[in-house]
Amino acid sequence: QVQLVESGGGLVQAGGSLRLSCAASGRTLSTYAMGWFRQAPGKEREFVLAIAWRGGNIYYADSVKGRFTISRDNAKNRVALQMNSLKPEDTAVYYCAAGRVTSTQAMAYNYWGQGTQVTVSS
């Protein structure tokens, strides 16, 4: 069993930056692919970024390419999401997830955090 806890969300102005962190406990993350998803009010959960367990393969949603990056520190059992040039449409609850397969599909991930709110004001 893997427990995931996100942190780092908050309120930021458009054009600003935030760094989200996902800390894991229960098991090492080193053999899990990690993903970030988000869900805005009234919308379905959508894929943001994913990184393979070795860190080599990274998948991006088109909407965040060039603005968001993902990184992982397997030794510290953490994954980070660096968000730059934030836009109001990035406002959502952001979730990290762990799974055995690197995927853009939420159903591929077995473990989820509780989410952290990101609000971008215009």
Side-chain angles (χ1 to χ4, degrees):
Q1 195 79 355
V2 177
Q3 291 80 43
L4 302 173
V5 178
E6 302 94 338
S7 61
L11 174 64
V12 64
Q13 288 188 334
S17 298
L18 278 176
R19 185 177 179 85
L20 305 184
S21 182
C22 176
S25 61
R27 285 187 181 178
T28 177
L29 287 182
S30 61
T31 59
Y32 287 89
M34 298 298 298
W36 284 94
F37 291 77
R38 66 187 181 186
Q39 188 166 18
K43 294 187 177 181
E44 294 186 354
R45 190 169 298 190
E46 65 172 359
F47 168 75
V48 178
L49 280 160
I51 186 168
W53 69 274
R54 288 183 177 178
N57 291 334
I58 298 176
Y59 300 162
Y60 294 85
D62 288 343
S63 59
V64 305
K65 278 182 181 177
R67 301 188 299 123
F68 291 13
T69 57
I70 188 172
S71 61
R72 66 187 301 160
D73 186 336
N74 289 338
K76 294 184 178 179
N77 241 19
R78 286 181 176 268
V79 177
L81 177 64
Q82 178 66 42
M83 305 186 294
N84 300 325
S85 302
L86 282 160
K87 304 175 181 180
E89 50 264 44
D90 294 318
T91 295
V93 177
Y94 283 71
Y95 300 88
C96 71
R100 290 300 188 182
V101 178
T102 312
S103 175
T104 63
Q105 304 300 309
M107 67 176 65
Y109 295 87
N110 307 104
Y111 304 103
W112 291 82
Q114 82 291 348
T116 185
Q117 176 70 47
V118 171
T119 303
V120 184
S121 63
S122 56

